[in-house]
Amino acid sequence: MKKIINNNIKTPEYELLDFECPLKEYPRPQFKRDSYYSLNGKWDYLVSKSDELNNNFDGEILVPYCIESQNSLVAKSINEGDYIIYHRKFKLENKFIKDQTFINFMGVDQEFDFYLNGKKYGHFVPLGLPTSIDISDNISEENEIYVVVKDDLDLTLPYGKQVREQHGMWYTSVSGIYYPVYLESVNKGYIRNVKIDTSLDSVTFDIDSDDLDIDITIKLYEEVIYQGKLKNKEEIKLDVIRLWDVDHPSLYFVELKNKNDVVNTYFALRKVELRDGFIYLNNKKIFLNGVLDQGYYPEGIYTVSDYSSYLKDINMLKDLGINCIRKHIKIEADYFYYLCDKYGMLVLQDFVNSGKYSFFRDTALPTVFPNLKINDKRLHKNKKQRENFIKHGEGVLKYLHNHPSIIGYTIFNEAWGQFEADKMYEHFKSLEPNYLFDVTSGWFRQNKSDFESRHIYFKDINKRIKGINKPVFISEFGGYSFKLNEHSFNLTNTYGYRNIETKEDFEKDLIDLFENQILNNKDRLVGCIYTQTSDVEDETNGFITYDRKVLKVDSKRFKELMNKIKE
């Protein structure tokens, strides 16, 4: 193991870190029940070349933080071939245990074996998504668990921006458990899942349960507006209509109850569609004035010290006039999407890249020759990679379906891992026809996509979109770098697309970029995604520093400009 090297910057939220049970809030606000036992906290750990269970532990690790992070209390990287062995004992009250008990791992990278009370439950490959394991046959009042994780940065699995040696736009790897772990215990006939679909005046619930004799209560602002027996998959017309948008994020809260289970969820009334290449939300044309968001944090890397970190970032962006986050090749914790739902922030969610990245093919060539065509049927032919990517995408769509803030998805980013994009568009669009898909964000467009998507960093946007006879989505641009050493991760290395020395020049150049290249073209653009929310490790091109202590622009002045663009 090697110690992670950085200057140990800490965010204000670090002081909120609970070393006994961090992130103890119920981790799935979209599907909440009373039965909940958090396993976040201190576990034993061992890094070993063998996957055999071993009690000769190296020390304690704080779950749910990856082993590389400061918050984990370890802050060391692992090597290829290493296993991380987690161990914990815990006691349950007998009344907690019902007919069926599940342990839920919200995020583990990349694959793991799970043992409970001496029994192995199998090998699991989460693909960046939650894993639920039925442990009903072996749970008791006193329990002992082992989790054996392997993370060799297998490129056939979704891995995103992770590398062993961070540099430039590549970040510190994330190994092991990185999102909450918790137990639920339920009676037979429990509600396994609910899929929610809405229109501008109705809602439909598709309940997965062996007992569909369900009572439903719908509230708006604490007032009951609908109550009765639920007829599964039948449209419920609502008498009280409050549409969801970024300025008025109205949520309807729901209780679903049968004799075995009670689940609380929520929904919103909103409709997203394309008309003549432009985006309409609730039948009103909108401009996506967005920002690229990597979802990285100094002490936790993939994982926040406290959920308030999410909200502070969201509110900071709203104060700048931003209405959309493009969540970049990372699946966030469910709580993030809940806060976007609650406080009003549109989200374009990227699938997580897999496959080998080629700087020459995937970046250099299309940067110099932006209209270069390429046949992607022969790219990334590894069968395992393709199967994993499709399974990952299907899981993402299912995982995020009920969140009203989600309006669309990016399938491939800058050709990285790209294969048969037209087929992928058809497949995923058939699963979610009411969502938007940017199939080839940046370049190497094939024939099918909802967007004419371009990344423009080093050239004038006015020139690059000249001659395109359809609305253009500038899905990445900007990336201006202004570094404040005392708030930076790496004092020696700096990465960005244009280095600026002073705060005054940074703000001036940024406003000039938006005024002369976005505002002047807004009638030809679907939207724009500026790079990026915050500095990330070597990258110093954020609106705010990596430690979230310094906002680099005047929010009032910037918001006035953003409002002009959105008008």
Side-chain angles (χ1 to χ4, degrees):
M1 296 178 72
K2 184 175 69 175
K3 189 74 175 177
I4 296 292
I5 299 174
N6 63 46
N7 64 348
N8 295 314
I9 60 173
K10 289 182 170 60
T11 71
E13 283 68 44
Y14 181 76
E15 302 302 323
L16 300 175
L17 181 61
D18 183 344
F19 288 93
E20 297 302 316
C21 187
L23 304 181
K24 60 187 173 185
E25 296 91 335
Y26 191 89
R28 295 178 63 197
Q30 250 286 349
F31 194 79
K32 186 176 182 180
R33 56 167 57 93
D34 289 338
S35 176
Y36 170 59
Y37 184 88
S38 176
L39 287 170
N40 297 344
K42 293 179 181 178
W43 296 42
D44 305 312
Y45 87 95
L46 167 69
V47 175
S48 173
K49 290 296 182 184
S50 170
D51 62 351
E52 294 184 6
L53 302 186
N54 188 329
N55 289 339
N56 186 25
F57 300 114
D58 293 332
E60 290 186 321
I61 187 169
L62 188 63
V63 170
Y65 297 101
C66 67
I67 196 168
E68 295 88 349
S69 70
Q70 295 178 43
N71 279 358
S72 74
L73 310 179
V74 181
K76 294 180 180 179
S77 63
I78 63 170
N79 300 311
E80 186 173 348
D82 285 345
Y83 293 89
I84 311 172
I85 300 175
Y86 293 82
H87 170 263
R88 176 165 175 171
K89 293 181 179 180
F90 63 94
K91 293 182 180 181
L92 296 172
E93 294 182 6
N94 186 56
K95 64 181 181 180
F96 177 85
I97 303 172
K98 300 176 184 176
D99 297 325
Q100 288 184 269
T101 303
F102 298 88
I103 186 168
N104 301 291
F105 293 89
M106 300 305 287
V108 182
D109 203 35
Q110 282 183 296
E111 49 191 307
F112 69 100
D113 297 332
F114 172 70
Y115 299 80
L116 170 67
N117 298 330
K119 177 181 176 179
K120 182 178 179 179
Y121 278 78
H123 184 74
F124 303 91
V125 185
L127 300 175
L129 294 163
T131 302
S132 185
I133 304 171
D134 189 339
I135 54 174
S136 310
D137 64 338
N138 204 21
I139 193 72
S140 62
E141 292 183 49
E142 296 192 12
N143 300 278
E144 183 177 31
I145 55 178
Y146 289 89
V147 181
V148 182
V149 178
K150 182 182 180 182
D151 181 10
D152 285 343
L153 275 178
D154 182 346
L155 302 190
T156 69
L157 301 173
Y159 68 97
K161 291 286 192 84
Q162 300 181 62
V163 289
R164 291 286 184 220
E165 300 288 340
Q166 66 83 217
H167 61 279
M169 68 175 186
W170 301 96
Y171 310 145
T172 303
S173 58
V174 173
S175 303
I177 298 170
Y178 63 86
Y179 282 158
V181 183
Y182 68 101
L183 299 174
E184 285 186 305
S185 201
V186 293
N187 295 312
K188 292 179 180 178
Y190 73 101
I191 299 171
R192 286 185 286 266
N193 192 35
V194 56
K195 181 182 180 184
I196 305 173
D197 290 295
T198 64
S199 70
L200 295 184
D201 63 359
S202 67
V203 59
T204 303
F205 297 90
D206 183 355
I207 307 292
D208 181 9
S209 176
D210 294 329
D211 180 1
L212 291 175
D213 183 15
I214 293 176
D215 296 312
I216 182 171
T217 301
I218 302 176
K219 292 182 178 181
L220 180 66
Y221 306 126
E222 300 300 322
E223 179 184 352
V224 175
I225 64 164
Y226 184 90
Q227 199 166 28
K229 286 289 183 183
L230 177 67
K231 294 182 179 180
N232 201 32
K233 301 182 183 180
E234 183 173 280
E235 184 179 40
I236 298 173
K237 287 287 186 179
L238 299 173
D239 295 328
V240 183
I241 307 300
R242 296 289 185 274
L243 300 184
W244 185 99
D245 61 34
V246 294
D247 296 318
H248 305 94
S250 301
L251 297 179
Y252 293 76
F253 289 90
V254 181
E255 181 187 80
L256 299 168
K257 181 178 181 180
N258 63 20
K259 65 177 181 290
N260 308 292
D261 198 8
V262 180
V263 167
N264 287 281
T265 183
Y266 62 87
F267 67 88
L269 302 179
R270 67 107 178 94
K271 181 176 71 170
V272 178
E273 60 184 332
L274 284 176
R275 296 183 195 171
D276 300 322
F278 292 102
I279 300 174
Y280 285 75
L281 177 65
N282 304 335
N283 295 320
K284 295 180 180 179
K285 185 178 178 181
I286 63 167
F287 185 93
L288 292 186
N289 198 19
V291 65
L292 200 72
D293 191 283
Q294 313 276 0
Y296 276 71
Y297 305 88
E299 309 93 357
I301 307 180
Y302 255 28
T303 314
V304 291
S305 297
D306 186 87
Y307 288 132
S308 63
S309 300
Y310 286 146
L311 184 55
K312 288 178 181 179
D313 279 1
I314 292 168
N315 284 336
M316 180 269 292
L317 293 173
K318 288 178 73 74
D319 286 343
L320 291 175
I322 300 297
N323 65 6
C324 177
I325 287 173
R326 180 181 165 197
K327 180 54 69 172
H328 196 39
I329 55 175
K330 177 201 174 191
I331 307 304
E332 203 57 78
D334 194 68
Y335 219 91
F336 166 80
Y337 304 102
Y338 160 67
L339 293 172
C340 289
D341 297 339
K342 184 177 181 180
Y343 291 95
M345 179 63 75
L346 301 172
V347 178
L348 282 171
Q349 174 64 55
D350 290 6
F351 291 178
V352 180
N353 295 83
S354 58
K356 188 175 181 180
Y357 167 80
S358 166
F359 174 78
F360 178 74
R361 183 194 62 215
D362 297 342
T363 298
L365 273 179
T367 298
V368 177
F369 305 104
N371 296 317
L372 183 68
K373 302 294 184 182
I374 192 169
N375 186 338
D376 67 359
K377 292 181 180 179
R378 298 179 181 179
L379 293 179
H380 300 284
K381 296 175 69 175
N382 183 289
K383 183 179 179 182
K384 183 179 177 182
Q385 180 206 329
R386 290 188 173 196
E387 289 175 347
N388 286 335
F389 183 82
I390 293 169
K391 186 177 179 181
H392 162 77
E394 292 170 346
V396 171
L397 298 187
K398 184 177 180 180
Y399 177 51
L400 298 179
H401 176 84
N402 291 345
H403 286 285
S405 56
I406 302 284
I407 61 169
Y409 298 89
T410 305
I411 298 179
F412 297 112
N413 180 72
E414 295 185 350
W416 176 11
Q418 181 177 328
F419 65 92
E420 297 189 323
D422 287 346
K423 284 188 178 180
M424 293 302 98
Y425 173 80
E426 291 175 347
H427 177 65
F428 292 116
K429 191 74 171 180
S430 71
L431 297 177
E432 288 287 24
N434 297 322
Y435 290 77
L436 308 177
F437 286 88
D438 184 357
V439 184
T440 53
S441 184
W443 38 75
F444 293 167
R445 179 185 171 97
Q446 303 299 298
N447 297 309
K448 298 180 180 180
S449 181
D450 291 331
F451 297 115
E452 181 70 31
S453 176
R454 302 294 177 95
H455 293 182
I456 304 174
Y457 282 113
F458 303 106
K459 299 292 184 179
D460 189 288
I461 290 173
N462 299 291
K463 295 178 180 178
R464 278 290 172 91
I465 67 173
K466 187 177 181 180
I468 300 177
N469 59 359
K470 60 180 71 173
V472 178
F473 180 32
I474 308 297
S475 46
E476 287 186 33
F477 79 110
Y480 287 5
S481 173
F482 168 50
K483 183 174 184 177
L484 294 166
N485 280 339
E486 61 271 31
H487 300 283
S488 295
F489 174 93
N490 193 325
L491 299 181
T492 56
N493 296 337
T494 303
Y495 185 87
Y497 300 119
R498 179 177 177 178
N499 292 327
I500 300 171
E501 297 298 325
T502 68
K503 184 177 186 295
E504 292 73 21
D505 285 343
F506 177 78
E507 186 172 90
K508 175 182 174 295
D509 289 355
L510 201 58
I511 288 176
D512 179 72
L513 173 67
F514 276 91
E515 282 185 336
N516 295 324
Q517 299 190 46
I518 300 298
L519 181 59
N520 288 347
N521 290 296
K522 71 172 187 176
D523 293 335
R524 304 175 59 200
L525 300 178
V526 175
C528 62
I529 303 293
Y530 182 81
T531 303
Q532 60 187 329
T533 298
S534 73
D535 297 348
V536 182
E537 300 196 353
D538 289 1
E539 291 191 55
T540 54
N541 48 13
F543 283 121
I544 197 168
T545 54
Y546 195 24
D547 62 4
R548 272 60 172 187
K549 290 182 179 178
V550 181
L551 181 63
K552 302 178 189 178
V553 296
D554 180 271
S555 58
K556 182 179 180 181
R557 184 182 179 192
F558 199 81
K559 187 171 186 177
E560 288 174 354
L561 175 56
M562 296 302 99
N563 288 340
K564 288 180 182 179
I565 294 172
K566 290 187 292 183
E567 286 176 355

